[in-house]
Amino acid sequence: MGLSQGAGAGATGGAAEPGDSGLGDGYFPTSGNGGYDVSNYEVDLKFTPEGHRVDATVEIKAKAERELTSFNLDYRGPKITGVTVDGRPAEHERKGRELVVTPAAAIGKDAVFETVVSYTGTPPTLTNPGLGSYGWNKTKDGALVTAQPDGAAAWLPSNDHPSDKATFDFAITVPSRLRAYANGEPDKPVTEDGLTTYRWHERSPMATYLATVAIGRFVERRSRAGRIQVITAVDPKYRKSLKRVHDTTVKALRWQQRLFGPYPFSSSGAIVDDPQLGYALETQTRPVYGGFVPDEAFIVHEIAHQWFGNSVSLRRWEDIWLNEGFATYAEWLWKERHNRHESTRKIFNRYYRQSGSSPALNPVPGRPGRTEMFGFSVYIRGAMTLEALRRKVGDRAFFRTLRLWATENKDGHGDTEEFIALAEKTSGKQLDRLFKVWLYQKGKPAKGSW
Ligand code: ARG
Ligand code: ZN
């Protein structure tokens, strides 16, 4: 499922055959591919603890946006054992992070086609300054996938860019002493000959970086919050925190629905596992926490991403403040709501008092650069931008803007220009200066300048 409108990300649609190797993203130019639009990934993955081996078959259903004599998938994983397109063996060649597939016959424009890629081996853990470890992370008893921003290709041959979302079906087979989790809703596990297959289905379109797989020993808690099925799984070493993480997730969900409008998905929960990642990821429906038990604000942050970042996705990574600034502002709102000594205004003021060169204020959140895309200022100054907006337009227009942003772009995409336009329309105020000063102007915004 591609961009709903105006391709901010660049090359989709126009360029010549064969399908381009990237979409021209400013930070990740080779992420994503031209020429087609994925609608579903079907992942069939078997995990063997001996040698940490993964045998996977991924079926990719896509629609050609032009005639394709060949096309690319993003792929950074282990040895490929076969590729077919519409059931016929296809030529394939690896070129760096790309897998170039040449089907036996050209695919016609608008045709829906199915590519099946099989691989065997251990998918890589990626490392990158500013990103730490991500991709396929080994754990003591299995693995945990965290793929933001360009790490899905480590384990999933894919169109690895948030501008192309798709539904997902997972079948994960593990030795019966282990369990397997992914996004969305589960079927009943099936056991045969000491192996258990866990099936999960995510029926809302999902960006590839939000797909997760968690394999290992887990203790689990399930409940419902209205129509939402909530499933929380924690590594046994954190078992004492299971109830607290689960209950806080449910509390955050209920509270944010009142604030931001209906929760966009049909399931939720949390996964707490042992790799020392030092971060969490808002994997769709069920965030993962890597190596620590999250406090309330952390859970609120990851749940807020379900509206802001997951249901409403980025068209380009440069707009990352739309994810992180909004999720951080949700934390501030939580503190305002639950601590009578705290308010978003006070939090804003504390950061505003810092020097113009402090990491809370630099680099500018609207243009942080690739290595600083998850830097402190994207979170803090991103949230300060929203507090500045709230003060300028008032609570009514502000919260209406947040709700409209989530509902009008549900299961879709949004960019900074569209958010500004919506805020202006909702408030009836001209806001270009405010956003320019807060998102793009270096140094501390001077009082009265917005
Ligand atoms: N989006 C995550 C969060 O806000 C941060 C992910 C950072 N990614 C990374 N590879 N370090 O919690
Ligand atoms: Zn975040």
Side-chain angles (χ1 to χ4, degrees), residues 233-249:
V234 311
D235 186 282
K237 93 180 228 200
Y238 304 116
R239 69 168 70 244
K240 284 204 188 84
S241 309
L242 172 62
K243 184 175 182 325
R244 184 165 59 76
V245 170
H246 184 83
D247 291 351
T248 305
T249 298

Side-chain angles (χ1 to χ4, degrees), residues 96-312:
R97 298 174 175 191
E98 307 278 325
L99 176 66
V100 184
V101 179
T102 306
I107 300 157
K109 182 177 185 311
D110 296 328
V112 172
F113 63 103
E114 278 179 9
T115 306
V116 178
V117 179
S118 303
Y119 68 79
T120 183
T122 304
T125 307
L126 309 174
T127 53
N128 189 314
L131 298 175
S133 295
Y134 66 115
W136 184 274
N137 307 290
K138 291 186 183 179
T139 62
K140 248 205 219 103
D141 48 13
L144 177 69
V145 169
T146 57
Q148 191 183 28
D150 63 339
W155 72 283
L156 183 77
S158 55
N159 198 23
D160 189 14
H161 193 271
S163 57
D164 188 4
K165 302 205 280 187
T167 54
F168 277 72
D169 298 290
F170 301 86
I172 308 162
T173 302
V174 297
S176 294
R177 67 193 151 81
L178 302 181
R179 297 183 183 205
Y181 293 83
N183 315 82
E185 286 102 75
D187 290 348
K188 237 179 138 64
V190 177
T191 297
E192 212 186 302
D193 298 333
L195 295 176
T196 303
T197 299
Y198 291 84
R199 289 179 201 279
W200 294 84
H201 307 281
E202 177 48 17
R203 304 204 186 282
S204 295
M206 172 163 80
T208 46
Y209 78 89
L210 294 170
T212 193
V213 169
I215 295 169
R217 293 176 57 233
F218 288 97
V219 292
E220 182 188 284
R221 200 169 176 94
R222 299 186 179 207
S223 71
R224 301 194 72 87
R227 66 184 168 84
I228 307 160
Q229 184 179 22
V230 187
I231 301 176
T232 301
V234 311
D235 186 282
K237 93 180 228 200
Y238 304 116
R239 69 168 70 244
K240 284 204 188 84
S241 309
L242 172 62
K243 184 175 182 325
R244 184 165 59 76
V245 170
H246 184 83
D247 291 351
T248 305
T249 298
V250 170
K251 222 166 100 184
L253 269 174
R254 293 190 193 278
W255 173 71
Q256 292 189 28
Q257 293 206 80
R258 293 198 295 274
L259 220 48
F260 306 141
Y263 178 70
F265 307 124
S266 43
S267 59
S268 180
I271 296 170
V272 187
D273 205 354
D274 69 10
Q276 298 297 317
L277 301 177
Y279 61 84
L281 184 61
E282 61 269 24
T283 42
Q284 190 153 306
T285 68
R286 192 161 296 109
V288 300
Y289 304 88
F292 64 97
V293 176
D295 63 11
E296 286 195 349
F298 222 127
I299 292 173
V300 164
H301 179 108
E302 305 308 332
I303 295 300
H305 274 309
Q306 306 305 315
W307 283 263
F308 306 112
N310 296 6
S311 171
V312 186

Side-chain angles (χ1 to χ4, degrees), residues 12 69 97 114 201 207 221 358 364 374 387 394 418 421 426 447:
T12 31
T69 52
R97 298 174 175 191
E114 278 179 9
H201 307 281
R221 200 169 176 94
S358 90
V364 290
F374 296 108
E387 174 66 12
E418 289 168 0
T426 309
K447 282 207 169 94

Side-chain angles (χ1 to χ4, degrees), residues 304 308 321-331 382-383 386 402 405 419:
F308 306 112
W321 84 277
L322 287 174
N323 293 9
E324 302 306 345
F326 283 51
T328 302
Y329 197 72
E331 293 179 54
L386 292 176
L402 292 189
W405 183 246
F419 181 71

